[in-house]
Amino acid sequence: MRLVSTLTAALLAATPAFAALAPGAKAPDFTTRGAIAGKVFTVHLADQLKKGPVVLYFFPAAYTGGCNAEAHAFAEAIPAFTKAGATVIGMSADNVETLSKFSAEKCAGKFAVASAGPNVIKGYDVALGKQVMGRDVTKRTSYVIDKTGRIAFVHDEMNPAAHVATTLAAVEKLTGK
């Protein structure tokens, strides 16, 4: 019995940590400023959910290699997300001025990016716990939120490669499109 307990403890220690918001949890509502195609506007999650599911993807910092690649990949996949009925919103701790430029340049003006303040970062459990360019950054975590405001899917992985494909598959499964 002791071997089983030791083995279980070892397996749990080796399991990667996941975002605190598990599927089925209520997504924290928020209002913040964001931009699309360089134009600043107010982003309110509840308003976005009225249109259908939302892919809320957190990224560490605009204008960094992985975040640039991920933004480009999401921009290329926007037609598929739209066909599946979902809205994509990128979120980071960057300021709105930076995100305004990033939205036009790296997101190709195809989806909104918004500034995640401390309450949003805490609510979605995405604090990375380190700084880039002298400021706190978020983990790379993607949430698919259904139109009722519940978390339907979570992808919590620092490597940006699979975020678009896994979140799109989750949206398609959720909407049947």
Side-chain angles (χ1 to χ4, degrees):
M1 189 55 88
R2 183 171 189 159
L3 177 61
V4 172
S5 296
T6 303
L7 182 58
T8 301
L11 286 172
L12 288 174
T15 303
F18 291 97
L21 296 180
K26 184 75 174 158
D29 191 22
F30 62 86
T31 300
T32 189
R33 291 181 40 201
I36 188 166
K39 295 182 179 160
V40 176
F41 70 104
T42 299
V43 177
H44 184 194
L45 180 62
D47 289 342
Q48 298 301 314
L49 289 170
K50 290 175 185 175
K51 303 174 197 172
V54 170
V55 174
L56 196 61
Y57 90 90
F58 289 87
F59 60 95
Y63 296 107
T64 58
C67 297
N68 292 347
E70 186 177 31
H72 178 76
F74 268 109
E76 287 190 336
I78 288 300
F81 281 103
T82 300
K83 181 179 178 186
T87 300
V88 173
I89 304 171
M91 301 284 294
S92 80
D94 290 300
N95 63 42
V96 176
E97 181 180 304
T98 299
L99 291 172
S100 178
K101 294 174 191 170
F102 188 74
S103 73
E105 295 171 13
K106 301 301 179 182
C107 305
K110 294 191 177 185
F111 63 93
V113 288
S115 186
N119 290 338
V120 173
I121 291 169
K122 183 178 179 182
Y124 282 89
D125 191 29
V126 292
L128 185 57
K130 66 186 241 180
Q131 293 192 334
V132 171
M133 298 180 268
R135 63 175 180 68
D136 293 333
V137 296
T138 66
K139 294 189 275 183
R140 190 179 311 281
T141 302
S142 297
Y143 289 101
V144 174
I145 305 169
D146 71 20
K147 64 183 182 178
T148 70
R150 297 273 172 199
I151 304 296
F153 176 81
V154 182
H155 185 91
D156 190 19
E157 168 66 46
M158 285 304 288
N159 183 335
H163 279 256
V164 174
T166 58
T167 55
L168 179 58
V171 167
E172 290 171 340
K173 181 178 179 184
L174 179 67
T175 63
K177 298 180 185 177

